[in-house]
Amino acid sequence: MKQGHSLFVTGTDTGIGKTMITACLTALLARCEYDAVPYKPIQSGGIRMGDTLIAEDVAFYQSIHPLPYGQDELCTYCMEPAVSPHLAAQQTKVFIDPDCIARQLQILRKNHDFVVVEGAGGLAVPLYESEQGIYMTDDLITHLHLPLLLVTHPGLGTINHTVLTVKYAQAHGIPILGFIVNYMPQQPNSMERDNVRMISELTGLPVLGSFPQITDTAPEALRMQLDELRTHINLALLLERLEQAEAELLQIKRMEE
Ligand SMILES: Nc1ncnc2c1ncn2[C@@H]1O[C@H](COP(=O)(O)OP(=O)(O)O)[C@@H](O)[C@H]1O
Ligand SMILES: [Mg+2]
């Protein structure tokens, strides 16, 4: 019987390292005997190769950890324009159906201990427009009943970016497990150290990991560094926070039914 845990990886911005963290977290969980897989429901900026579109994030996951799936199972909507999903969907006439994403996530959860879901961009990202209004990333997260793992950075501006993202998630009733601070220098300066302290103080949320600035991000080099990277993520605390959030989300789900 698989455990079916799941969480949603978001970031303070696009390019913050969500794919890096999703891929490495999946691989690190697998090293702790969890059968973990990543899932990217919506990818814009797909790379055209003849008749097919390559979801770059999925290709990266596959290069870091062997996965028993092809792209179709790990990415439900891959669109070519490198713009916000709502615009990519409009331009390519794709109809994004949150229930289709929920069904695929359910299949993965049934068959694996852990599904690490990666969002597109940050949290306040429109996914599609309809007569009912604008469907946002936070609507999808609420629909999927997932807690958030927030990838952030230690540099200038992070206090503002991180606190705004946390407040936005909280305003939409989404539980947050904590932060992974990406691009952490080996020897952080006083500002970087204080930034990390301050985002935790201001939000009351734990730092679950400080992921280092990596010199060689080629997949083969990264695979060699996984044991080292494992020391930078507090998996025990992440799992503890996840169990609490899952209990909270289960209650919400029961009240909705
Ligand atoms: N800790 C890190 N050290 C060095 N490069 C990184 C690190 N995290 C991410 N990157 C690089 O930064 C770029 C953006 O990261 P990515 O994970 O794709 O971000 P996102 O998924 O949030 O858009 C990629 O080229 C990735 O290899
Ligand atoms: Mg990504």
Side-chain angles (χ1 to χ4, degrees):
M1 176 70 183
K2 293 294 180 177
Q3 298 179 30
H5 294 298
S6 188
L7 55 80
F8 193 99
V9 177
T10 193
T12 48
D13 203 354
T14 194
I16 195 68
K18 298 183 304 295
T19 304
M20 176 67 83
I21 299 299
T22 301
C24 291
L25 185 59
T26 305
L28 294 179
L29 283 164
R31 287 178 173 223
C32 297
E33 313 286 308
Y34 285 97
D35 169 12
V37 291
Y39 175 46
K40 176 89 182 178
I42 302 170
Q43 168 107 57
S44 54
I47 296 162
R48 179 153 297 282
M49 301 269 252
D51 283 347
T52 50
L53 269 184
I54 307 293
E56 219 181 347
D57 289 2
V58 173
F60 188 73
Y61 310 148
Q62 286 165 327
S63 73
I64 301 299
H65 181 67
L67 296 164
Y69 297 111
Q71 177 176 303
D72 289 351
E73 288 91 0
L74 299 179
C75 178
T76 304
Y77 298 101
C78 181
M79 300 170 290
E80 191 169 5
V83 295
S84 169
H86 80 282
L87 189 58
Q90 196 188 80
Q91 288 174 349
T92 54
K93 300 193 168 40
V94 166
F95 170 69
I96 293 175
D97 178 2
D99 285 327
C100 192
I101 294 170
R103 279 195 297 276
Q104 182 56 17
L105 177 61
Q106 200 49 30
I107 291 171
L108 294 173
R109 287 180 80 158
K110 266 200 186 136
N111 290 303
H112 300 277
D113 293 327
F114 226 110
V115 186
V116 185
V117 183
E118 182 187 341
L123 207 49
V125 168
L127 299 181
Y128 66 86
E129 286 179 272
S130 73
E131 280 165 12
Q132 280 78 47
I134 303 172
Y135 194 89
M136 300 289 287
T137 293
D138 50 86
D139 293 317
L140 178 66
I141 298 168
T142 305
H143 184 61
L144 300 176
H145 293 97
L146 294 180
L148 277 189
L149 178 64
L150 177 56
V151 181
T152 185
H153 64 102
L156 197 60
T158 195
I159 299 177
N160 179 51
H161 301 152
T162 311
V163 174
L164 285 177
T165 301
V166 167
K167 297 289 173 198
Y168 185 92
Q170 288 170 340
H172 291 86
I174 301 167
I176 308 160
L177 303 175
F179 314 111
I180 301 274
V181 182
N182 191 24
Y183 304 108
M184 194 68 172
Q186 253 188 352
Q187 280 165 337
N189 62 29
S190 57
M191 176 201 71
E192 289 155 342
R193 278 200 307 273
D194 189 67
N195 278 347
V196 175
R197 180 186 70 84
M198 196 47 96
I199 58 174
S200 191
E201 283 273 317
L202 286 169
T203 60
L205 292 167
V207 175
L208 300 170
S210 291
F211 207 79
Q213 177 87 45
I214 294 163
T215 323
D216 188 354
T217 56
E220 52 284 7
L222 264 173
R223 287 197 303 267
M224 306 270 285
Q225 292 173 69
L226 281 171
D227 278 332
E228 215 287 291
L229 292 172
R230 186 169 162 177
T231 62
H232 295 273
I233 297 187
N234 188 342
L235 276 182
L237 183 57
L238 190 150
L239 293 169
E240 189 188 312
R241 298 273 306 162
L242 183 61
E243 277 189 20
Q244 288 164 3
E246 281 174 344
E248 206 180 304
L249 284 161
L250 192 64
Q251 269 194 340
I252 295 173
K253 204 174 173 183
R254 287 207 178 119
M255 280 185 335
E256 284 171 4
E257 285 164 4

